[in-house]
Amino acid sequence: KLKLTHTETHTLLLQYCTLMNNKQTMKISVSFKATKLKNVAGAFKGTSDPFAVVTLLGNHRDDKPRIIGKTEVIKNTLNPDWVATFTFDYELGGEPTNILVKIFDEVRKGDNKSMGSAVFEIGSILGAKGSTKAKRMQDGKGTLYARVEKAKSCGTLKLKMSGVKLTNLDGFFNKSDPFYEFVKKETGLRGTEWNVVHRSSYIKDNLNPNWEMDNIDLGLLCLGNLDERVVLTIFDHEGDGKHELMGEIETSVNGLIAAKRTGKGFTLKRKGKNMGTIVVLTAEVCDGEGEDDLPPTKAMSNVRITPTAPPLPQPPIATGRSVGRPAFTDYVRGGCEINLCVAIDFTGSNGDPRKPGTLHYIHPDGQLNDYEKAIKSVGSVLTKYDQDQKFPVVGFGAKYGGVVRHCFQCGPQEEVDGVNGILAAYRQT
């Protein structure tokens, strides 16, 4: 758990109150992966080639759903880890923002086949551990994972690399088809995990590949920290999606820039054995032009990495870079756990609760009073960031049995579930 000082806690509360009052809009990026999908390719037709279509749903009857994009197609896999990300505006403290994710199996000659779908609410993803949420697929099989990050305009890395004398993994009569991926360490549902953030195209039958120039979003690659450790992995592409690891290198953006400046290549390693050399031909950092100009993540449409042993975790490196004042979402993503506790004022200043027009009057027609409106309005936002979804509800200032009670439990349970549980506990007091 992230521990905050008194000053940091005060700052966080002030920021949240400001967000609630101003309903601040921020840019977020959403990415997806899925596991154990149902194979819908058909008998004797191999394995499905999944891609996802992402739609932003409206909150009102007249709002039309808006397709914000689709991922790349990944060949021959039921466990796709898509590189594509989707960036859009999110209003903190505003109405719920729901996205519909539909997964299809690409059919080149004919209609694409549905593999299932899931709906996510952005606020609930932000409040989940590692800002990652998992959902079982509807109308299908498997689990879909959605991850949300604050989009940062950190510029791009203009990168071009080549391989020299890579070790062949395809036997005597064929040559390997190399491509590369960048993988970075992130916090997910199960703690630390390594996720693919960029994937190149593959070059067929070539042990001295000269890959195309790539423009890589630094916000996705390293959150703008040029000394952040990333792992560069090289794979031999296989048509069945079971690509073979050719080797890996641990480096950083500054490490790539230094390699270009010195002309010294990286030695590719696999299980301690030299597997060739990776040479950096171009490595330039280009400044971003604002959050509205975030570059798209380039992705290879027909690659799927077969899970391998993850790289060994590395200790963080002190860079001396100023990260600026953290925002509310930075605390949440950094592991700060918010526990919502509701305290209700029952003092005499609220008026006689038996009389219409007073703040605690319970309307017989089910209409919400002022306290219920406040609980529903604030609670519907804050509950998203509470991980155990259990909420204690207490009251103060009520007089019963001839004694003024300064803190007492509302309702029959010590903790309740959700906003409706809070409202029920209030009404039962």
Side-chain angles (χ1 to χ4, degrees), residues 141-197:
K141 177 184 175 183
T143 304
L144 182 62
Y145 297 84
R147 180 183 181 85
V148 173
E149 291 186 293
K150 181 180 178 182
K152 292 186 177 181
S153 180
C154 304
T156 60
L157 172 65
K158 192 175 181 180
L159 181 68
K160 182 174 176 59
M161 298 189 298
S162 66
V164 178
K165 297 181 179 179
L166 302 184
T167 300
N168 187 27
L169 303 180
D170 275 356
F172 292 105
F173 303 104
N174 297 295
K175 292 181 180 179
S176 295
D177 312 319
F179 69 93
Y180 67 83
E181 292 183 344
F182 278 108
V183 184
K184 74 173 181 179
K185 184 167 64 174
E186 297 178 312
T187 301
L189 285 174
R190 297 176 180 85
T192 300
E193 61 185 27
W194 292 82
N195 293 318
V196 179
V197 293

Side-chain angles (χ1 to χ4, degrees), residues 171-388:
F172 292 105
F173 303 104
N174 297 295
K175 292 181 180 179
S176 295
D177 312 319
F179 69 93
Y180 67 83
E181 292 183 344
F182 278 108
V183 184
K184 74 173 181 179
K185 184 167 64 174
E186 297 178 312
T187 301
L189 285 174
R190 297 176 180 85
T192 300
E193 61 185 27
W194 292 82
N195 293 318
V196 179
V197 293
H198 181 81
R199 183 179 291 131
S200 78
S201 297
Y202 71 88
I203 299 181
K204 193 169 180 61
D205 298 326
N206 199 327
L207 301 180
N208 297 281
N210 189 10
W211 289 289
E212 296 178 356
M213 184 81 74
D214 275 347
N215 292 302
I216 305 174
D217 183 352
L218 289 173
L220 296 173
L221 181 62
C222 60
L223 295 177
N225 182 355
L226 304 187
D227 290 314
E228 179 74 21
R229 288 291 176 180
V230 295
V231 175
L232 172 65
T233 55
I234 312 296
F235 287 92
D236 177 15
H237 177 264
E238 301 295 342
D240 61 2
K242 298 178 181 179
H243 313 302
E244 190 169 358
L245 179 68
M246 300 181 72
E248 60 187 22
I249 299 159
E250 185 180 297
T251 185
S252 64
V253 174
N254 275 336
L256 295 168
I257 294 172
K260 166 60 177 71
R261 185 176 63 251
T262 62
K264 184 178 180 181
F266 293 100
T267 300
L268 192 64
K269 295 273 191 178
R270 189 182 76 164
K271 298 180 180 179
K273 182 180 178 181
N274 291 353
M275 301 293 286
T277 303
I278 300 298
V279 177
V280 180
L281 303 177
T282 302
E284 300 175 5
V285 171
C286 304
D287 291 335
E289 299 178 3
E291 291 192 346
D292 290 333
D293 299 310
L294 290 171
T297 300
K298 190 172 182 180
M300 180 175 165
S301 63
N302 57 351
V303 168
R304 161 62 192 166
I305 183 169
T306 301
T308 58
L312 293 176
Q314 298 295 324
I317 298 175
T319 65
R321 291 173 59 92
S322 173
V323 296
R325 183 179 179 181
F328 174 76
T329 50
D330 295 321
Y331 282 104
V332 175
R333 279 201 45 77
C336 178
E337 295 183 4
I338 295 176
N339 297 111
L340 175 62
C341 177
V342 180
I344 301 172
D345 179 5
F346 285 97
T347 58
S349 60
N350 292 286
D352 188 338
R354 295 167 294 185
K355 295 181 179 180
T358 57
L359 298 181
H360 282 301
Y361 177 72
I362 302 298
H363 296 273
D365 60 358
Q367 179 183 342
L368 300 181
N369 64 29
D370 288 346
Y371 270 93
E372 290 172 315
K373 290 176 182 176
I375 290 171
K376 189 170 184 179
S377 176
V378 178
S380 63
V381 176
L382 284 176
T383 53
K384 298 171 185 174
Y385 302 99
D386 191 305
Q387 292 190 11
D388 65 5

